[in-house]
């Protein structure tokens, strides 16, 4: 085998490896983009509270914590999700009680005058 043939073979092998790596990287980018789009849609549905499905209970805290640790360690965003208290619909505030009427009402409208000056 001549040196020219060996050099040409090395060049061809290198070009094939580069082409293959580019194709694999492109496929991975497409797959990741598809997963990110799917996850973004699921996250939107979750925020709108439409993503209940057949789940009756929340994911256990240990699993949620493990997922947060994994995402943080991988350099991924860790979105802040609504907590249990935030995901429950708030109650209407009680109507204010009308002020009492009568002679025993104390008038505190002059409170600034009633400050003790010791």
């Amino acid at each position: 085998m001549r040196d020219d043939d060996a050099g040409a073979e090395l060049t061809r092998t290198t070009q094939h490896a580069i082409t293959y790596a580019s194709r694999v990287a492109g496929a991975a980018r497409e797959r990741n983009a598809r997963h990110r789009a799917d996850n973004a849609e699921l996250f939107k549905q979750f925020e709108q509270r439409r993503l209940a499905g057949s789940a009756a209970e929340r994911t256990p805290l240990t699993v949620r914590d493990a997922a947060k640790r994994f995402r943080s360690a991988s350099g991924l965003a860790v979105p802040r999700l609504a907590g249990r208290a935030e995901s429950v619909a708030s109650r209407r505030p009680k109507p204010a009680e009308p002020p009492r009427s009568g002679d025993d009402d104390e008038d505190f409208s002059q409170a600034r005058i009633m400050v003790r000056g010791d």
Side-chain angles (χ1 to χ4, degrees), residues 35-91:
H35 284 254
R36 287 180 191 272
D38 291 346
N39 287 342
E41 180 60 31
L42 289 173
F43 191 69
K44 268 193 241 176
Q45 289 178 11
F46 177 80
E47 285 178 333
Q48 296 169 355
R49 293 177 178 41
R50 292 186 308 170
L51 189 66
S54 61
E57 296 180 7
R58 295 181 65 171
T59 304
L61 185 60
T62 54
V63 175
R64 285 185 281 150
D65 288 341
K68 283 181 190 175
R69 285 193 307 274
F70 171 80
R71 291 181 69 82
S72 295
S74 300
L76 301 170
V78 181
R80 187 196 168 294
L81 302 175
R84 183 174 293 226
E86 296 168 338
S87 63
V88 176
S90 62
R91 297 182 181 155

Side-chain angles (χ1 to χ4, degrees), residues 12-28:
R12 276 193 306 277
T13 303
T14 304
Q15 288 299 323
H16 288 296
I18 291 171
T19 302
Y20 176 76
S22 296
R23 256 188 279 144
V24 169

